[in-house]
């Protein structure tokens, strides 16, 4: 029986290490991970970027899986290539699921004030993380948020806030945490809800997510 090929896209600024705890039966699934690329320019469209990512896919009819901004990206990719299924985690299916503060940031253009310099050089700011919780978060940022190019960060933030998708694509699978602080569950419709799941549940709820992925992918056969 041929294996199902799963292609994963991480969240904004994140590297593919965020998927290291995902575990699926190797006899049925082959996992592939797509790293973020630096945009060709700050004005590269999300459609053009999605085409460049699609060029890295080496198997026909794959399953596309994305986390957060990666979830937005795999939806754009699904408009370009044929795929068995699109699965998004801690993400949104349309701009209607954005929280109100996203719309406010977009209108006021406050995103231009985003401290991309902090992410791009987090080591320089470590001394400001006084308590243990913040120090732990800083360590996680260093491990998992390694895409620190300023042009990429500005491009990615702009393209999240200005995503034009108004309606959900058909048959999409949406896995979402009930305590997601970035995309609150109250704005999300038709999702598989994970109890106590936060926006970074790909790290600490990987076993639960793996079981859902296995079930959903087996349902396709």
């Amino acid at each position: 029986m041929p294996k199902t090929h799963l292609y994963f896209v991480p969240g904004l600024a994140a590297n593919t290490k965020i998927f290291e705890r995902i575990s699926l039966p190797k006899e049925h699934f082959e996992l592939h991970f797509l790293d973020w690329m630096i945009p060709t320019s700050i004005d590269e469209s999300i459609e053009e970027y999605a085409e460049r990512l699609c060029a890295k896919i080496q198997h026909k009819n794959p399953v596309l899986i994305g986390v957060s901004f990666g979830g937005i990206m795999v939806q754009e990719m699904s408009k370009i290539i044929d795929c068995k299924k699109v699965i998004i985690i801690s993400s949104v299916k349309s701009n209607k699921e954005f929280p109100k503060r996203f719309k406010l940031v977009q209108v006021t253009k406050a995103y231009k004030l985003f401290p991309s310099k902090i992410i791009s050089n987090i080591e320089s700011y470590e001394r400001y993380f006084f308590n243990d919780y913040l120090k732990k978060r800083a360590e996680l940022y260093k491990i998992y948020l390694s895409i620190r190019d300023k042009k990429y960060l500005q491009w990615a933030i702009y393209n999240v806030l200005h995503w034009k998708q108004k309606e959900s694509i058909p048959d999409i699978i949406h896995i979402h945490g009930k305590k997601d602080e970035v995309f609150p569950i109250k704005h999300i419709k038709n999702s598989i809800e994970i109890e106590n799941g936060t926006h970074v549940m790909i790290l600490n709820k990987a076993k639960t997510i793996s079981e859902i992925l296995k079930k959903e992918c087996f349902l396709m056969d």
Side-chain angles (χ1 to χ4, degrees):
M1 182 177 174
K3 291 184 180 182
T4 299
H5 293 275
L6 279 55
Y7 279 80
F8 292 80
V9 180
L12 194 154
N15 59 51
T16 56
K17 285 183 182 177
I18 68 167
F19 299 114
E20 63 189 2
R21 299 175 193 177
I22 294 295
S23 179
L24 294 168
K26 292 182 179 179
E27 64 271 25
H28 297 292
F29 303 106
E30 191 166 334
L31 279 53
H32 311 270
F33 307 100
L34 298 175
D35 287 301
W36 291 112
M37 307 173 291
I38 305 304
T40 54
S41 77
I42 199 72
D43 298 319
E44 182 177 16
S45 71
I46 195 170
E47 294 86 0
E48 291 168 331
Y49 193 98
E51 279 194 29
R52 291 203 291 134
L53 271 184
C54 285
K56 294 189 170 190
I57 292 179
Q58 300 176 343
H59 303 89
K60 290 183 178 180
N61 220 22
V63 176
L64 300 179
I65 302 171
V67 170
S68 193
F69 181 44
I72 289 174
M73 188 57 65
V74 296
Q75 290 174 76
E76 290 299 321
M77 293 167 70
S78 74
K79 300 170 187 176
I80 299 168
I81 62 169
D82 292 328
C83 51
K84 278 188 178 180
K85 184 67 68 177
V86 178
I87 302 174
I88 63 172
I89 302 164
S90 306
S91 190
V92 290
K93 298 182 290 297
S94 75
N95 55 25
K96 292 178 182 176
E97 294 186 330
F98 283 160
K100 289 181 180 178
R101 66 178 180 272
F102 270 46
K103 292 160 190 171
L104 180 64
V105 169
Q106 183 190 40
V107 170
T108 61
K109 298 190 177 180
Y111 59 88
K112 292 186 177 181
L113 303 176
F114 182 82
S116 56
K117 285 183 180 178
I118 292 179
I119 289 183
S120 63
N121 193 20
I122 198 165
E123 288 85 356
S124 300
Y125 292 87
E126 277 189 283
R127 63 183 179 275
Y128 299 113
F129 295 107
F130 296 111
N131 63 46
D132 289 339
Y133 172 75
L134 288 177
K135 286 178 180 176
K136 188 175 181 181
R137 288 300 283 263
E139 283 301 313
L140 287 174
Y141 286 149
K142 284 166 66 177
I143 296 168
Y144 297 109
L145 296 184
S146 64
I147 318 303
R148 305 183 190 181
D149 180 87
K150 188 176 180 181
K151 182 167 71 173
Y152 163 81
L153 291 171
Q154 291 176 339
W155 173 88
I157 293 161
Y158 177 88
N159 278 284
V160 170
L161 293 171
H162 293 83
W163 194 36
K164 296 174 183 176
Q165 188 150 303
K166 294 180 180 179
E167 302 295 335
S168 172
I169 63 175
D171 302 319
I172 189 170
I173 302 297
H174 188 170
I175 305 168
H176 210 82
K178 293 181 81 169
K179 291 188 176 180
D180 193 304
E181 64 280 11
V182 176
F183 300 122
I185 192 71
K186 66 181 180 180
H187 301 297
I188 305 298
K189 295 180 180 178
N190 304 319
S191 69
I192 300 169
E193 297 182 4
I194 294 188
E195 207 67 42
N196 296 317
T198 65
H199 195 64
V200 295
M201 66 181 183
I202 192 69
L203 299 177
N204 53 25
K205 297 284 185 183
K207 185 175 180 181
T208 302
I209 292 171
S210 296
E211 287 300 315
I212 295 170
L213 292 178
K214 182 169 68 173
K215 178 184 174 184
E216 293 298 332
C217 290
F218 274 136
L219 286 175
M220 295 183 302
D221 295 328

